[in-house]
Amino acid sequence: ALLGCDPARPPAPAESDPVTEPDPAPGPAEYPTCSAIPACDASIHVDPASSAMLITDPEVLAKVPLRRVMEQLVASAGAPYGPEEAMARLFDTMNSEEYGKFSDVLHCDTASERGLASVTPDTLMCPRAEGALASSGAFFEEGHPDSFMPVAIVNRFDLTPINAGRCGQYRIVYAKRSGLTDPDDRAFLIFEPALRNPVACLEACRPIAKGWAALEGASTAEIADFVEALFFEGLHGFAPVMDVSSFGPPRDESLSGSYGGGFKDEDEGGQIRVSMHMGDPWDMRELRFASHPLTGRPTFLPMPVRNNPPVALFAPDMLSDGSNPIFHVLLDVSLPSLARSEVAALQLFVPLSANGLESAIEGPKKNDYHAAATKGGSTLFVDMIEASLEKAGFVADCPPGDPLDGEAILDRATTQSCAGCHSPRMLIGEDRNIGCGLTWPDSIGQVHVTEKSEISPALKEVFLPHRAKVLEGFLQACDMDAMFDNLQNGQPEDGFQKVLPAGTLGGSGTH
């Protein structure tokens, strides 16, 4: 069913239909098409260090200035304001109601009105210093400290889900210019739109995959043309990925706990993430661009940060509460995937309603699940995890003195949060050891792409090679069983008989 044509595909216009003038708005003329799986071609190779996976060429990045992205978003949403006000509204979500710039923005102290995190003891740090940017007006002013510049374009074809409702996510990372010189005035915006697949069959995604792979060795002009088409014009029958429909909204509170796959297949939307350090602590949040729940006007909706259960759930006094969702997250669903033997295969599955509203690197809310669960010398949760491992009959052949135990599982869960992945030295230790011979790869401070487009060791050594291998395997079409194992999150590890949430082509929905 994944590879065949979707019977619900809208019909093409009949020849007798009246001829109309073409719509002036950007977009493809036809739907993508489903085709047969091509013959195996094991010679196809994708270089993880090439533009097929990540683009930092300044000439190409110049094609995606933040103003252009915001213009396209507000136009596609029919917003009654321009790109400058859209940016001001985004950062106004960091202000409290009392000091907010816009009365209809969902501010950081109105979380309860959004109905978010209904089962978690979590509130936003409010207000944030970044809220001052709502009154800046210099987001697009060349050279201004408050302006944002593109620093990377990222291929996440590996986030294509089992229902093929999207053909991956394609990301643009923007950095606040002040961060080039001031380590205490840094902020990043990461636009992560999902490429909607209207025919919902996996083979329709192949032209997109081939287009990315062809960027390896391509000229700057050819790469720029592909980026233009993908983000702003549409190609191979797909609408441009930079569109309001690519950022949500979620259908209900039980949606996917990961960025690429999870409890509900139908969550094909992307997200906008903010990583910020204009004030302590370094904090990360997630938003969708969708309709306001009361006014119906397009706006930025603060959302729970996926893969980020709030640290308060791991406190020893919370672990005595039988309704605590963290039991289901770690003991019933995520344990087999957190026990895997490869860093790139580790996963944490969290229902949307059990996620926190932000991911903090420091302070009382920092996402250090190990420290929170063992506070005061408590061993309750560690013992519960180890009992589950033993009950399942899981036996790991680990190096002496480096077991896969309850503490290691908690450290691995921490790495799946935004804060843990972006700052592993601060949250899991200088050695970044996560048990059974695994070491979590390093970031550059608190980021994976800097203001100077520098790339972290984690991207170079682990994440990009994994994503390139996924793209390569899909294009080769030689080992379809391996591909479907990823989509199904693989076979259970020895002793585990849990049914894992739906997966993605890359297996991991986080990295």
Side-chain angles (χ1 to χ4, degrees):
L2 285 170
L3 301 174
C5 294
D6 187 341
R9 173 185 174 183
E15 291 184 5
S16 59
D17 286 350
V19 177
T20 59
E21 291 298 317
D23 190 327
E30 300 177 354
Y31 284 107
T33 57
C34 299
S35 57
I37 302 173
C40 166
D41 183 356
S43 67
I44 295 174
H45 173 70
V46 177
D47 181 358
S50 73
S51 294
M53 303 311 304
L54 189 143
I55 300 167
T56 56
D57 185 330
E59 290 188 46
V60 179
L61 294 178
K63 300 291 185 179
V64 292
L66 182 58
R67 177 187 287 277
R68 186 179 186 188
V69 165
M70 296 308 299
E71 286 176 343
Q72 181 114 341
L73 275 185
V74 298
S76 68
Y81 48 78
E84 291 86 356
E85 182 172 327
M87 285 294 299
R89 286 173 169 270
L90 188 157
F91 282 103
D92 200 30
T93 64
M94 312 299 172
N95 287 321
S96 63
E97 290 281 353
E98 181 179 2
Y99 298 106
K101 182 178 177 65
F102 302 97
S103 61
D104 60 336
V105 161
L106 295 172
H107 297 101
C108 56
D109 55 355
T110 57
S112 60
E113 296 178 15
R114 298 196 298 272
L116 301 179
S118 58
V119 299
T120 64
D122 195 33
T123 57
L124 284 163
M125 288 182 281
C126 182
R128 286 282 308 185
E130 291 78 12
L133 291 175
S135 300
S136 171
F139 301 109
F140 314 127
E141 187 177 327
E142 184 69 28
H144 195 284
D146 288 348
S147 66
F148 282 78
M149 53 192 182
V151 294
I153 298 170
V154 187
N155 174 7
R156 294 303 308 271
F157 182 77
D158 60 296
L159 292 184
T160 300
I162 191 170
N163 70 343
R166 67 170 181 267
C167 296
Q169 288 183 10
Y170 304 104
R171 303 176 172 180
I172 308 178
V173 183
Y174 294 90
K176 190 170 182 288
R177 182 172 292 276
S178 56
L180 287 169
T181 56
D182 188 348
D184 294 320
D185 189 5
R186 304 179 73 187
F188 294 82
L189 282 173
I190 308 96
F191 288 81
E192 304 179 343
L195 183 60
R196 301 274 183 171
N197 182 1
V199 297
C201 73
L202 193 55
E203 279 305 303
C205 300
R206 191 167 293 275
I208 300 296
K210 291 174 67 175
W212 275 103
L215 300 187
E216 182 177 331
S219 68
T220 296
E222 291 169 330
I223 297 171
D225 287 345
F226 176 82
V227 167
E228 286 258 357
L230 177 67
F231 284 100
F232 302 111
E233 299 169 1
L235 76 168
H236 302 302
F238 288 91
V241 70
M242 197 57 70
D243 184 271
V244 64
S245 65
S246 302
F247 293 97
R251 313 289 172 84
D252 60 57
E253 284 199 354
S254 63
L255 286 177
S256 162
S258 70
Y259 291 106
F263 293 107
K264 288 291 185 84
D265 292 342
E266 63 266 26
D267 180 23
E268 295 108 22
Q271 56 278 325
I272 300 164
R273 287 194 279 173
V274 185
S275 179
M276 49 194 176
H277 187 225
M278 291 173 63
D280 289 328
W282 194 301
D283 194 31
M284 302 176 187
R285 299 187 184 181
E286 182 176 333
L287 306 99
R288 298 287 183 101
F289 190 55
S291 297
H292 190 289
L294 298 179
T295 68
R297 297 173 66 185
T299 190
F300 291 94
L301 302 176
M303 299 296 298
V305 182
R306 283 175 284 183
N307 288 101
N308 284 267
V311 70
L313 288 180
F314 292 80
D317 58 339
M318 283 295 296
L319 295 175
S320 61
D321 183 355
S323 64
N324 187 341
I326 206 64
F327 293 122
H328 180 57
V329 167
L330 274 184
L331 303 182
D332 295 337
V333 179
S334 297
L335 196 54
S337 53
L338 287 174
R340 287 173 174 159
S341 58
E342 296 181 8
V343 166
L346 303 181
Q347 299 182 82
L348 179 67
F349 299 102
V350 187
L352 188 64
S353 60
N355 278 304
L357 300 179
E358 59 200 325
S359 191
I361 288 176
E362 299 174 282
K365 294 185 66 177
K366 72 175 181 179
N367 285 58
D368 187 340
Y369 302 139
H370 181 176
T374 57
K375 187 176 181 180
S378 174
T379 63
L380 175 61
F381 203 26
V382 170
D383 292 342
M384 293 173 67
I385 295 171
E386 291 178 355
S388 293
L389 290 169
E390 183 177 356
K391 182 178 179 181
F394 183 82
V395 177
D397 184 15
C398 300
D402 188 22
L404 180 61
D405 55 13
E407 293 186 353
I409 292 294
L410 288 168
D411 282 335
R412 292 180 178 207
T414 292
T415 68
Q416 302 303 289
S417 72
C418 291
C421 179
H422 281 255
S423 193
R425 290 179 181 270
M426 294 182 67
L427 273 78
I428 59 174
E430 285 293 325
D431 60 3
R432 293 171 282 112
N433 177 269
I434 53 175
C436 204
L438 293 191
T439 300
W440 189 256
D442 209 358
S443 60
I444 304 178
Q446 292 78 31
V447 299
H448 288 294
V449 182
T450 72
E451 290 88 349
K452 297 179 181 180
S453 296
E454 299 162 316
I455 307 303
S456 73
L459 276 171
K460 291 178 181 178
E461 299 166 10
V462 179
F463 302 150
L464 290 177
H466 172 71
R467 298 170 194 173
K469 183 179 178 181
V470 171
L471 179 60
E472 181 180 286
F474 177 75
L475 291 173
Q476 288 179 349
C478 297
D479 191 349
M480 303 307 288
D481 288 340
M483 184 186 71
F484 281 109
D485 275 351
N486 279 337
L487 286 170
Q488 301 287 357
N489 277 311
Q491 298 301 315
E493 300 282 357
D494 292 343
F496 283 108
Q497 299 300 320
K498 305 297 183 184
V499 178
L500 296 180
T504 64
L505 282 175
S508 174
T510 307
H511 312 295

mmCIF file of all heavy atoms in Angstrom, residues 468-488:
data_model
loop_
_atom_site.group_PDB
_atom_site.id
_atom_site.type_symbol
_atom_site.label_atom_id
_atom_site.label_comp_id
_atom_site.label_asym_id
_atom_site.label_seq_id
_atom_site.Cartn_x
_atom_site.Cartn_y
_atom_site.Cartn_z
ATOM 1 N N ALA A 468 22.557 10.215 5.182
ATOM 2 C CA ALA A 468 23.023 9.907 3.830
ATOM 3 C C ALA A 468 22.823 8.424 3.507
ATOM 4 O O ALA A 468 22.443 8.066 2.383
ATOM 5 C CB ALA A 468 24.495 10.289 3.682
ATOM 6 N N LYS A 469 23.057 7.576 4.488
ATOM 7 C CA LYS A 469 22.860 6.140 4.287
ATOM 8 C C LYS A 469 21.395 5.825 4.016
ATOM 9 O O LYS A 469 21.070 4.974 3.175
ATOM 10 C CB LYS A 469 23.348 5.380 5.521
ATOM 11 C CG LYS A 469 23.250 3.866 5.401
ATOM 12 C CD LYS A 469 23.780 3.193 6.663
ATOM 13 C CE LYS A 469 23.644 1.665 6.558
ATOM 14 N NZ LYS A 469 24.141 1.003 7.793
ATOM 15 N N VAL A 470 20.496 6.527 4.709
ATOM 16 C CA VAL A 470 19.060 6.321 4.489
ATOM 17 C C VAL A 470 18.681 6.738 3.073
ATOM 18 O O VAL A 470 17.986 6.010 2.353
ATOM 19 C CB VAL A 470 18.242 7.120 5.522
ATOM 20 C CG1 VAL A 470 16.755 7.096 5.173
ATOM 21 C CG2 VAL A 470 18.457 6.561 6.921
ATOM 22 N N LEU A 471 19.127 7.922 2.658
ATOM 23 C CA LEU A 471 18.825 8.404 1.308
ATOM 24 C C LEU A 471 19.421 7.482 0.261
ATOM 25 O O LEU A 471 18.768 7.136 -0.740
ATOM 26 C CB LEU A 471 19.373 9.828 1.152
ATOM 27 C CG LEU A 471 19.173 10.498 -0.208
ATOM 28 C CD1 LEU A 471 17.696 10.615 -0.540
ATOM 29 C CD2 LEU A 471 19.844 11.870 -0.229
ATOM 30 N N GLU A 472 20.641 7.068 0.474
ATOM 31 C CA GLU A 472 21.320 6.164 -0.451
ATOM 32 C C GLU A 472 20.574 4.841 -0.585
ATOM 33 O O GLU A 472 20.349 4.335 -1.693
ATOM 34 C CB GLU A 472 22.735 5.936 0.060
ATOM 35 C CG GLU A 472 23.607 5.041 -0.769
ATOM 36 C CD GLU A 472 24.982 4.893 -0.146
ATOM 37 O OE1 GLU A 472 25.775 5.851 -0.223
ATOM 38 O OE2 GLU A 472 25.263 3.814 0.440
ATOM 39 N N GLY A 473 20.169 4.271 0.545
ATOM 40 C CA GLY A 473 19.451 2.999 0.510
ATOM 41 C C GLY A 473 18.124 3.102 -0.209
ATOM 42 O O GLY A 473 17.726 2.185 -0.945
ATOM 43 N N PHE A 474 17.420 4.207 -0.015
ATOM 44 C CA PHE A 474 16.140 4.398 -0.708
ATOM 45 C C PHE A 474 16.353 4.493 -2.207
ATOM 46 O O PHE A 474 15.622 3.877 -2.996
ATOM 47 C CB PHE A 474 15.457 5.656 -0.179
ATOM 48 C CG PHE A 474 14.173 5.988 -0.883
ATOM 49 C CD1 PHE A 474 13.016 5.264 -0.628
ATOM 50 C CD2 PHE A 474 14.119 7.025 -1.802
ATOM 51 C CE1 PHE A 474 11.824 5.561 -1.274
ATOM 52 C CE2 PHE A 474 12.937 7.339 -2.454
ATOM 53 C CZ PHE A 474 11.778 6.604 -2.186
ATOM 54 N N LEU A 475 17.362 5.249 -2.627
ATOM 55 C CA LEU A 475 17.608 5.421 -4.056
ATOM 56 C C LEU A 475 18.120 4.141 -4.709
ATOM 57 O O LEU A 475 17.798 3.846 -5.856
ATOM 58 C CB LEU A 475 18.605 6.560 -4.278
ATOM 59 C CG LEU A 475 18.077 7.960 -3.949
ATOM 60 C CD1 LEU A 475 19.194 8.984 -4.030
ATOM 61 C CD2 LEU A 475 16.937 8.340 -4.893
ATOM 62 N N GLN A 476 18.915 3.356 -3.981
ATOM 63 C CA GLN A 476 19.406 2.095 -4.538
ATOM 64 C C GLN A 476 18.274 1.101 -4.771
ATOM 65 O O GLN A 476 18.299 0.331 -5.719
ATOM 66 C CB GLN A 476 20.428 1.480 -3.586
ATOM 67 C CG GLN A 476 21.762 2.195 -3.542
ATOM 68 C CD GLN A 476 22.715 1.552 -2.555
ATOM 69 O OE1 GLN A 476 22.321 0.696 -1.748
ATOM 70 N NE2 GLN A 476 23.979 1.946 -2.603
ATOM 71 N N ALA A 477 17.278 1.101 -3.893
ATOM 72 C CA ALA A 477 16.124 0.206 -3.989
ATOM 73 C C ALA A 477 16.542 -1.263 -4.021
ATOM 74 O O ALA A 477 15.932 -2.080 -4.707
ATOM 75 C CB ALA A 477 15.271 0.534 -5.218
ATOM 76 N N CYS A 478 17.584 -1.592 -3.264
ATOM 77 C CA CYS A 478 18.084 -2.976 -3.237
ATOM 78 C C CYS A 478 17.647 -3.727 -1.985
ATOM 79 O O CYS A 478 17.471 -4.944 -2.029
ATOM 80 C CB CYS A 478 19.611 -2.983 -3.317
ATOM 81 S SG CYS A 478 20.283 -2.291 -4.847
ATOM 82 N N ASP A 479 17.498 -3.033 -0.877
ATOM 83 C CA ASP A 479 17.167 -3.693 0.384
ATOM 84 C C ASP A 479 15.896 -3.076 0.943
ATOM 85 O O ASP A 479 15.920 -2.291 1.885
ATOM 86 C CB ASP A 479 18.323 -3.546 1.377
ATOM 87 C CG ASP A 479 18.141 -4.450 2.604
ATOM 88 O OD1 ASP A 479 17.036 -5.007 2.770
ATOM 89 O OD2 ASP A 479 19.097 -4.575 3.390
ATOM 90 N N MET A 480 14.778 -3.432 0.349
ATOM 91 C CA MET A 480 13.504 -2.861 0.778
ATOM 92 C C MET A 480 13.109 -3.355 2.165
ATOM 93 O O MET A 480 12.412 -2.662 2.909
ATOM 94 C CB MET A 480 12.413 -3.205 -0.232
ATOM 95 C CG MET A 480 12.724 -2.752 -1.661
ATOM 96 S SD MET A 480 13.148 -0.995 -1.793
ATOM 97 C CE MET A 480 11.557 -0.247 -1.517
ATOM 98 N N ASP A 481 13.566 -4.547 2.538
ATOM 99 C CA ASP A 481 13.248 -5.052 3.876
ATOM 100 C C ASP A 481 13.831 -4.139 4.951
ATOM 101 O O ASP A 481 13.166 -3.837 5.952
ATOM 102 C CB ASP A 481 13.796 -6.473 4.050
ATOM 103 C CG ASP A 481 13.013 -7.494 3.255
ATOM 104 O OD1 ASP A 481 11.855 -7.198 2.876
ATOM 105 O OD2 ASP A 481 13.547 -8.587 3.011
ATOM 106 N N ALA A 482 15.070 -3.695 4.745
ATOM 107 C CA ALA A 482 15.698 -2.796 5.714
ATOM 108 C C ALA A 482 14.938 -1.491 5.800
ATOM 109 O O ALA A 482 14.758 -0.927 6.885
ATOM 110 C CB ALA A 482 17.153 -2.547 5.331
ATOM 111 N N MET A 483 14.483 -0.988 4.662
ATOM 112 C CA MET A 483 13.729 0.249 4.643
ATOM 113 C C MET A 483 12.435 0.105 5.430
ATOM 114 O O MET A 483 12.077 0.966 6.244
ATOM 115 C CB MET A 483 13.410 0.662 3.207
ATOM 116 C CG MET A 483 12.707 2.010 3.089
ATOM 117 S SD MET A 483 12.208 2.354 1.387
ATOM 118 C CE MET A 483 10.859 1.176 1.194
ATOM 119 N N PHE A 484 11.734 -0.995 5.227
ATOM 120 C CA PHE A 484 10.474 -1.189 5.938
ATOM 121 C C PHE A 484 10.699 -1.482 7.413
ATOM 122 O O PHE A 484 9.853 -1.161 8.246
ATOM 123 C CB PHE A 484 9.647 -2.297 5.271
ATOM 124 C CG PHE A 484 8.942 -1.831 4.037
ATOM 125 C CD1 PHE A 484 9.348 -2.252 2.791
ATOM 126 C CD2 PHE A 484 7.889 -0.934 4.125
ATOM 127 C CE1 PHE A 484 8.707 -1.804 1.653
ATOM 128 C CE2 PHE A 484 7.247 -0.480 2.994
ATOM 129 C CZ PHE A 484 7.658 -0.917 1.744
ATOM 130 N N ASP A 485 11.846 -2.066 7.756
ATOM 131 C CA ASP A 485 12.173 -2.224 9.173
ATOM 132 C C ASP A 485 12.275 -0.860 9.849
ATOM 133 O O ASP A 485 11.830 -0.673 10.980
ATOM 134 C CB ASP A 485 13.491 -2.987 9.351
ATOM 135 C CG ASP A 485 13.287 -4.497 9.333
ATOM 136 O OD1 ASP A 485 12.117 -4.929 9.349
ATOM 137 O OD2 ASP A 485 14.280 -5.227 9.305
ATOM 138 N N ASN A 486 12.882 0.097 9.162
ATOM 139 C CA ASN A 486 12.948 1.443 9.711
ATOM 140 C C ASN A 486 11.559 2.054 9.851
ATOM 141 O O ASN A 486 11.229 2.669 10.857
ATOM 142 C CB ASN A 486 13.811 2.342 8.818
ATOM 143 C CG ASN A 486 15.289 2.160 9.069
ATOM 144 O OD1 ASN A 486 15.688 1.719 10.130
ATOM 145 N ND2 ASN A 486 16.098 2.488 8.081
ATOM 146 N N LEU A 487 10.745 1.907 8.820
ATOM 147 C CA LEU A 487 9.391 2.457 8.874
ATOM 148 C C LEU A 487 8.582 1.850 10.014
ATOM 149 O O LEU A 487 7.734 2.504 10.615
ATOM 150 C CB LEU A 487 8.664 2.224 7.549
ATOM 151 C CG LEU A 487 9.107 3.109 6.378
ATOM 152 C CD1 LEU A 487 8.504 2.611 5.087
ATOM 153 C CD2 LEU A 487 8.721 4.559 6.612
ATOM 154 N N GLN A 488 8.856 0.599 10.333
ATOM 155 C CA GLN A 488 8.149 -0.076 11.416
ATOM 156 C C GLN A 488 8.936 -0.001 12.722
ATOM 157 O O GLN A 488 8.607 -0.678 13.690
ATOM 158 C CB GLN A 488 7.913 -1.555 11.048
ATOM 159 C CG GLN A 488 7.104 -1.748 9.773
ATOM 160 C CD GLN A 488 5.644 -1.413 9.938
ATOM 161 O OE1 GLN A 488 5.205 -1.085 11.026
ATOM 162 N NE2 GLN A 488 4.884 -1.490 8.861
#
